[in-house]
Amino acid sequence: MAGLKTRPTDRSVPDYLAGVAHAARRADAEALTADMEAVTGMPPVLWGDSLIGFDRYLYEQKNGMRAIWPVTGLAPRKTNLVVYIMPGFSRYGALLDRLGPHKTGASCLYLGRLSGIDRDVLNELVARSVEDMRATYPTGMTLTAD
């Protein structure tokens, strides 16, 4: 797995979250971490400096390199709380319509604050994306040197 810069660490997720400077972003990230742990049934793991990931899956990149990545995750950024919906959003339009204010990228869901978001819809979105990922890719992988 050489070449991947973002890898799971042994750093404490609660300690990382305690260090998030913006109080509202910290509270939102703590709440969402708890929700995602409940939805995925997996403990949070800090990947790299700022990605909180849940479970792992193995995929092959276009260049043939195999990689392990979180099945879902979140990152409290300065301007948004980013939720990683790895299958993308094409299957989840009805949920997104009910979610509340958000923006999307390829696999990134950008939320300004959780206060305007329907948390039940967000949890359903995460649950469905995790279910789709687990049906498509081998999950629960461990990192090994190639």
Side-chain angles (χ1 to χ4, degrees):
M1 301 293 161
L4 282 179
K5 294 180 182 179
T6 304
R7 298 172 60 95
T9 71
D10 292 331
R11 289 181 47 211
S12 162
V13 171
D15 288 351
Y16 164 70
L17 289 171
V20 173
H22 191 275
R25 182 87 59 240
R26 180 175 54 251
D28 284 351
E30 289 169 343
L32 188 52
T33 298
D35 287 353
M36 292 177 85
E37 183 172 6
V39 167
T40 64
M42 300 295 292
V45 173
L46 190 64
W47 289 62
D49 294 331
S50 62
L51 171 60
I52 300 168
F54 299 86
D55 205 354
R56 301 165 187 207
Y57 75 101
L58 177 66
Y59 69 99
E60 189 168 318
Q61 298 176 340
K62 290 179 183 177
N63 65 5
M65 185 176 105
R66 293 180 315 138
I68 294 176
W69 197 250
V71 171
T72 191
L74 70 123
R77 306 284 188 222
K78 287 184 181 182
T79 57
N80 290 292
L81 184 61
V82 182
V83 180
Y84 295 88
I85 304 295
M86 297 315 297
F89 299 98
S90 62
R91 305 176 210 177
Y92 312 120
L95 287 170
L96 292 173
D97 290 343
R98 299 181 5 238
L99 181 62
H102 69 277
K103 293 182 181 179
T104 60
S107 294
C108 296
L109 176 67
Y110 301 98
L111 307 173
R113 303 229 19 205
L114 282 184
S115 62
I117 297 299
D118 185 323
R119 296 264 298 275
D120 290 334
V121 172
L122 180 57
N123 288 336
E124 184 178 347
L125 175 61
V126 170
R128 287 192 45 206
S129 74
V130 167
E131 181 180 302
D132 289 343
M133 290 298 293
R134 288 176 175 163
T136 305
Y137 295 95
T139 62
M141 309 305 296
T142 57
L143 291 172
T144 58
D146 280 349

mmCIF file of all heavy atoms in Angstrom, residues 1 4 9 17 39-41 45 51 60 65 69 78 83-84 87-88 90 95 113 115 135-136:
data_model
loop_
_atom_site.group_PDB
_atom_site.id
_atom_site.type_symbol
_atom_site.label_atom_id
_atom_site.label_comp_id
_atom_site.label_asym_id
_atom_site.label_seq_id
_atom_site.Cartn_x
_atom_site.Cartn_y
_atom_site.Cartn_z
ATOM 1 N N MET A 1 0.809 -1.192 0.000
ATOM 2 C CA MET A 1 0.000 0.000 0.000
ATOM 3 C C MET A 1 0.855 1.260 0.000
ATOM 4 O O MET A 1 0.431 2.296 0.461
ATOM 5 C CB MET A 1 -0.928 0.006 1.219
ATOM 6 C CG MET A 1 -1.863 -1.168 1.318
ATOM 7 S SD MET A 1 -3.084 -1.184 0.028
ATOM 8 C CE MET A 1 -3.592 -2.859 0.096
ATOM 9 N N LEU A 4 0.036 5.687 -0.475
ATOM 10 C CA LEU A 4 -1.100 6.323 0.175
ATOM 11 C C LEU A 4 -0.605 7.208 1.303
ATOM 12 O O LEU A 4 0.105 6.758 2.193
ATOM 13 C CB LEU A 4 -2.064 5.277 0.759
ATOM 14 C CG LEU A 4 -2.985 4.577 -0.209
ATOM 15 C CD1 LEU A 4 -3.837 3.560 0.530
ATOM 16 C CD2 LEU A 4 -3.860 5.554 -0.938
ATOM 17 N N THR A 9 -4.381 5.914 11.744
ATOM 18 C CA THR A 9 -3.403 6.194 12.787
ATOM 19 C C THR A 9 -3.901 5.609 14.105
ATOM 20 O O THR A 9 -5.025 5.152 14.206
ATOM 21 C CB THR A 9 -3.204 7.714 12.967
ATOM 22 O OG1 THR A 9 -4.379 8.263 13.585
ATOM 23 C CG2 THR A 9 -2.922 8.403 11.641
ATOM 24 N N LEU A 17 -10.855 15.564 18.159
ATOM 25 C CA LEU A 17 -12.053 16.411 18.145
ATOM 26 C C LEU A 17 -11.960 17.520 19.183
ATOM 27 O O LEU A 17 -12.403 18.645 18.928
ATOM 28 C CB LEU A 17 -13.305 15.565 18.365
ATOM 29 C CG LEU A 17 -13.692 14.661 17.192
ATOM 30 C CD1 LEU A 17 -14.802 13.708 17.595
ATOM 31 C CD2 LEU A 17 -14.074 15.487 15.979
ATOM 32 N N VAL A 39 -24.494 4.035 13.337
ATOM 33 C CA VAL A 39 -25.007 3.590 12.039
ATOM 34 C C VAL A 39 -24.136 2.494 11.437
ATOM 35 O O VAL A 39 -24.644 1.509 10.905
ATOM 36 C CB VAL A 39 -25.131 4.788 11.064
ATOM 37 C CG1 VAL A 39 -25.344 4.319 9.636
ATOM 38 C CG2 VAL A 39 -26.260 5.712 11.488
ATOM 39 N N THR A 40 -22.812 2.646 11.518
ATOM 40 C CA THR A 40 -21.911 1.683 10.877
ATOM 41 C C THR A 40 -21.613 0.472 11.747
ATOM 42 O O THR A 40 -21.194 -0.558 11.235
ATOM 43 C CB THR A 40 -20.558 2.339 10.523
ATOM 44 O OG1 THR A 40 -19.891 2.729 11.731
ATOM 45 C CG2 THR A 40 -20.745 3.522 9.589
ATOM 46 N N GLY A 41 -21.775 0.619 13.052
ATOM 47 C CA GLY A 41 -21.400 -0.456 13.965
ATOM 48 C C GLY A 41 -19.890 -0.599 14.112
ATOM 49 O O GLY A 41 -19.401 -1.621 14.585
ATOM 50 N N VAL A 45 -11.898 5.832 13.521
ATOM 51 C CA VAL A 45 -10.436 5.769 13.445
ATOM 52 C C VAL A 45 -9.974 7.037 12.742
ATOM 53 O O VAL A 45 -10.534 7.420 11.710
ATOM 54 C CB VAL A 45 -9.970 4.524 12.648
ATOM 55 C CG1 VAL A 45 -8.466 4.546 12.427
ATOM 56 C CG2 VAL A 45 -10.405 3.247 13.359
ATOM 57 N N LEU A 51 -9.189 13.025 8.962
ATOM 58 C CA LEU A 51 -10.314 12.243 8.466
ATOM 59 C C LEU A 51 -10.693 11.193 9.499
ATOM 60 O O LEU A 51 -9.866 10.371 9.884
ATOM 61 C CB LEU A 51 -9.951 11.570 7.131
ATOM 62 C CG LEU A 51 -10.921 10.543 6.565
ATOM 63 C CD1 LEU A 51 -12.283 11.163 6.311
ATOM 64 C CD2 LEU A 51 -10.360 9.934 5.306
ATOM 65 N N GLU A 60 -9.300 -1.060 -6.281
ATOM 66 C CA GLU A 60 -8.157 -0.947 -7.178
ATOM 67 C C GLU A 60 -8.291 0.341 -7.973
ATOM 68 O O GLU A 60 -9.321 0.599 -8.594
ATOM 69 C CB GLU A 60 -8.091 -2.142 -8.129
ATOM 70 C CG GLU A 60 -6.809 -2.173 -8.925
ATOM 71 C CD GLU A 60 -6.589 -3.493 -9.644
ATOM 72 O OE1 GLU A 60 -6.846 -4.547 -9.045
ATOM 73 O OE2 GLU A 60 -6.148 -3.444 -10.807
ATOM 74 N N MET A 65 -2.963 0.178 -8.738
ATOM 75 C CA MET A 65 -2.576 0.147 -7.328
ATOM 76 C C MET A 65 -3.801 -0.171 -6.468
ATOM 77 O O MET A 65 -4.867 0.401 -6.659
ATOM 78 C CB MET A 65 -1.994 1.498 -6.911
ATOM 79 C CG MET A 65 -1.462 1.494 -5.485
ATOM 80 S SD MET A 65 -0.672 3.066 -5.061
ATOM 81 C CE MET A 65 -1.956 3.754 -4.030
ATOM 82 N N TRP A 69 -9.400 2.249 2.035
ATOM 83 C CA TRP A 69 -9.966 3.560 2.354
ATOM 84 C C TRP A 69 -11.168 3.364 3.270
ATOM 85 O O TRP A 69 -11.776 2.304 3.266
ATOM 86 C CB TRP A 69 -10.378 4.250 1.049
ATOM 87 C CG TRP A 69 -10.585 5.714 1.206
ATOM 88 C CD1 TRP A 69 -11.784 6.358 1.157
ATOM 89 C CD2 TRP A 69 -9.600 6.709 1.454
ATOM 90 N NE1 TRP A 69 -11.590 7.711 1.362
ATOM 91 C CE2 TRP A 69 -10.259 7.944 1.537
ATOM 92 C CE3 TRP A 69 -8.209 6.672 1.618
ATOM 93 C CZ2 TRP A 69 -9.586 9.139 1.787
ATOM 94 C CZ3 TRP A 69 -7.554 7.861 1.854
ATOM 95 C CH2 TRP A 69 -8.235 9.074 1.926
ATOM 96 N N LYS A 78 -12.555 23.964 8.205
ATOM 97 C CA LYS A 78 -12.815 25.336 8.673
ATOM 98 C C LYS A 78 -14.165 25.862 8.220
ATOM 99 O O LYS A 78 -14.874 26.512 8.982
ATOM 100 C CB LYS A 78 -11.714 26.281 8.211
ATOM 101 C CG LYS A 78 -10.422 26.082 8.948
ATOM 102 C CD LYS A 78 -9.381 27.093 8.523
ATOM 103 C CE LYS A 78 -8.084 26.828 9.280
ATOM 104 N NZ LYS A 78 -7.067 27.819 8.943
ATOM 105 N N VAL A 83 -18.807 15.093 4.969
ATOM 106 C CA VAL A 83 -19.181 13.698 5.169
ATOM 107 C C VAL A 83 -18.852 12.965 3.871
ATOM 108 O O VAL A 83 -19.221 13.416 2.789
ATOM 109 C CB VAL A 83 -20.683 13.556 5.501
ATOM 110 C CG1 VAL A 83 -21.052 12.089 5.698
ATOM 111 C CG2 VAL A 83 -21.041 14.375 6.734
ATOM 112 N N TYR A 84 -18.147 11.853 3.991
ATOM 113 C CA TYR A 84 -17.722 11.091 2.822
ATOM 114 C C TYR A 84 -18.733 9.990 2.523
ATOM 115 O O TYR A 84 -18.893 9.055 3.303
ATOM 116 C CB TYR A 84 -16.326 10.510 3.042
ATOM 117 C CG TYR A 84 -15.298 11.602 3.149
ATOM 118 C CD1 TYR A 84 -14.997 12.201 4.373
ATOM 119 C CD2 TYR A 84 -14.668 12.088 2.013
ATOM 120 C CE1 TYR A 84 -14.079 13.233 4.467
ATOM 121 C CE2 TYR A 84 -13.745 13.126 2.091
ATOM 122 C CZ TYR A 84 -13.467 13.691 3.318
ATOM 123 O OH TYR A 84 -12.567 14.720 3.404
ATOM 124 N N PRO A 87 -20.017 5.994 -2.417
ATOM 125 C CA PRO A 87 -20.598 5.637 -3.713
ATOM 126 C C PRO A 87 -20.999 6.852 -4.559
ATOM 127 O O PRO A 87 -21.464 6.691 -5.678
ATOM 128 C CB PRO A 87 -21.848 4.828 -3.360
ATOM 129 C CG PRO A 87 -21.789 4.551 -1.915
ATOM 130 C CD PRO A 87 -20.859 5.546 -1.309
ATOM 131 N N GLY A 88 -20.852 8.051 -4.022
ATOM 132 C CA GLY A 88 -21.352 9.227 -4.714
ATOM 133 C C GLY A 88 -22.824 9.426 -4.379
ATOM 134 O O GLY A 88 -23.346 8.823 -3.451
ATOM 135 N N SER A 90 -25.611 9.655 -6.864
ATOM 136 C CA SER A 90 -26.600 9.404 -7.912
ATOM 137 C C SER A 90 -27.780 8.558 -7.439
ATOM 138 O O SER A 90 -28.887 8.723 -7.938
ATOM 139 C CB SER A 90 -25.939 8.752 -9.125
ATOM 140 O OG SER A 90 -25.393 7.501 -8.785
ATOM 141 N N LEU A 95 -33.198 11.293 -0.803
ATOM 142 C CA LEU A 95 -32.704 11.615 0.542
ATOM 143 C C LEU A 95 -32.101 13.014 0.573
ATOM 144 O O LEU A 95 -32.348 13.785 1.507
ATOM 145 C CB LEU A 95 -31.669 10.584 0.998
ATOM 146 C CG LEU A 95 -32.207 9.212 1.368
ATOM 147 C CD1 LEU A 95 -31.072 8.223 1.569
ATOM 148 C CD2 LEU A 95 -33.072 9.287 2.614
ATOM 149 N N ARG A 113 -23.751 23.485 9.010
ATOM 150 C CA ARG A 113 -24.043 23.178 10.421
ATOM 151 C C ARG A 113 -25.046 22.042 10.470
ATOM 152 O O ARG A 113 -25.888 21.920 9.588
ATOM 153 C CB ARG A 113 -24.646 24.397 11.116
ATOM 154 C CG ARG A 113 -23.761 25.615 11.046
ATOM 155 C CD ARG A 113 -23.497 26.368 12.277
ATOM 156 N NE ARG A 113 -23.719 25.724 13.534
ATOM 157 C CZ ARG A 113 -23.987 26.386 14.626
ATOM 158 N NH1 ARG A 113 -24.128 27.681 14.607
ATOM 159 N NH2 ARG A 113 -24.128 25.768 15.778
ATOM 160 N N SER A 115 -27.418 21.943 12.618
ATOM 161 C CA SER A 115 -28.689 22.468 13.125
ATOM 162 C C SER A 115 -29.766 22.568 12.049
ATOM 163 O O SER A 115 -30.944 22.435 12.356
ATOM 164 C CB SER A 115 -28.487 23.823 13.802
ATOM 165 O OG SER A 115 -27.988 24.767 12.869
ATOM 166 N N ALA A 135 -21.779 -4.112 -0.034
ATOM 167 C CA ALA A 135 -22.262 -5.053 -1.043
ATOM 168 C C ALA A 135 -21.349 -5.077 -2.276
ATOM 169 O O ALA A 135 -21.357 -6.048 -3.031
ATOM 170 C CB ALA A 135 -23.684 -4.685 -1.454
ATOM 171 N N THR A 136 -20.567 -4.029 -2.466
ATOM 172 C CA THR A 136 -19.749 -3.886 -3.666
ATOM 173 C C THR A 136 -18.285 -4.256 -3.456
ATOM 174 O O THR A 136 -17.652 -4.818 -4.341
ATOM 175 C CB THR A 136 -19.826 -2.431 -4.182
ATOM 176 O OG1 THR A 136 -21.197 -2.091 -4.380
ATOM 177 C CG2 THR A 136 -19.068 -2.246 -5.477
#
